[in-house]
Amino acid sequence: MSDVFDYNFISDVIMDLLKKYNKMESSRYIYRDYPLTMSEIYYILAIQNSQKKSMTDLAKNVDVNLSTATSMIDKLTRNGLVERIRDLEDRRQVFVQLTSKGEEIYTSIIESRKIVMEKLFSLFTPEEKIWVYHILLKLHQKINDVEL
């Protein structure tokens, strides 16, 4: 049985959707004249989801090497969004967490994401919303099973 799907087309559509979604998201995230890049948003979300995270765990979570994560944390620290905390028992261990300003931005990101998703999902009927939700959930659950 031949495959009826044009996988190149599907790949192009997914890439285009991601690009447009990122653009929609990033255009909404301006807090007190501080524009956030998608990378900065990604780090803020990763840090907040754990309250306090080691640099090693953060690098693994965002799927980058430690030096790349360190560079981004340096930038977020300079901008007053993140603070480093040394472990009292092991001074070599460094944790990062959001500052109060970072927490405010995190809340703004979550609220803005909800607005973006509500706008996107308003394009669908209630049945289509459920279908899209279940397809995305299944894809998310299965994507790690795909061997490349």
Side-chain angles (χ1 to χ4, degrees):
M1 180 172 188
S2 75
D3 218 337
V4 296
F5 293 107
D6 180 347
Y7 290 108
N8 285 326
F9 174 75
I10 292 170
S11 180
D12 289 343
V13 168
I14 290 171
M15 293 302 295
D16 190 52
L17 286 170
L18 289 171
K19 186 169 45 174
K20 288 177 181 174
Y21 177 78
N22 284 342
K23 188 174 183 178
M24 286 176 72
E25 260 201 350
S26 64
S27 69
R28 295 199 49 82
Y29 299 132
I30 297 174
Y31 181 78
R32 294 187 187 157
D33 300 322
Y34 179 72
L36 296 172
T37 66
M38 288 308 297
S39 294
E40 291 166 328
I41 290 166
Y42 194 51
Y43 277 79
I44 288 169
L45 292 170
I47 294 167
Q48 178 55 33
N49 287 338
S50 69
Q51 298 295 320
K52 181 172 101 170
K53 187 167 262 192
S54 75
M55 286 298 298
T56 302
D57 289 343
L58 178 62
K60 286 179 187 173
N61 186 254
V62 296
D63 199 24
V64 298
N65 62 40
L66 187 57
S67 64
T68 301
T70 299
S71 294
M72 179 59 76
I73 294 304
D74 288 344
K75 182 178 181 184
L76 293 171
T77 300
R78 281 191 308 272
N79 289 311
L81 305 177
V82 171
E83 61 187 347
R84 287 183 169 92
I85 301 165
R86 292 230 177 252
D87 188 305
L88 297 176
E89 295 175 14
D90 182 357
R91 302 281 299 154
R92 297 169 298 172
Q93 183 76 349
V94 177
F95 294 95
V96 292
Q97 68 182 24
L98 297 179
T99 62
S100 58
K101 181 179 176 183
E103 291 280 348
E104 289 177 41
I105 290 175
Y106 171 81
T107 300
S108 175
I109 291 168
I110 296 303
E111 290 169 2
S112 295
R113 283 180 132 195
K114 183 178 180 218
I115 291 167
V116 168
M117 292 311 298
E118 285 172 346
K119 285 184 179 185
L120 288 174
F121 270 76
S122 73
L123 303 171
F124 300 112
T125 66
E127 295 80 18
E128 289 171 329
K129 288 178 189 178
I130 292 169
W131 181 82
V132 168
Y133 174 81
H134 286 289
I135 292 297
L136 289 173
L137 187 61
K138 185 173 184 175
L139 182 59
H140 183 261
Q141 291 169 341
K142 300 283 185 180
I143 198 158
N144 290 330
D145 297 339
V146 176
E147 290 184 32
L148 298 177

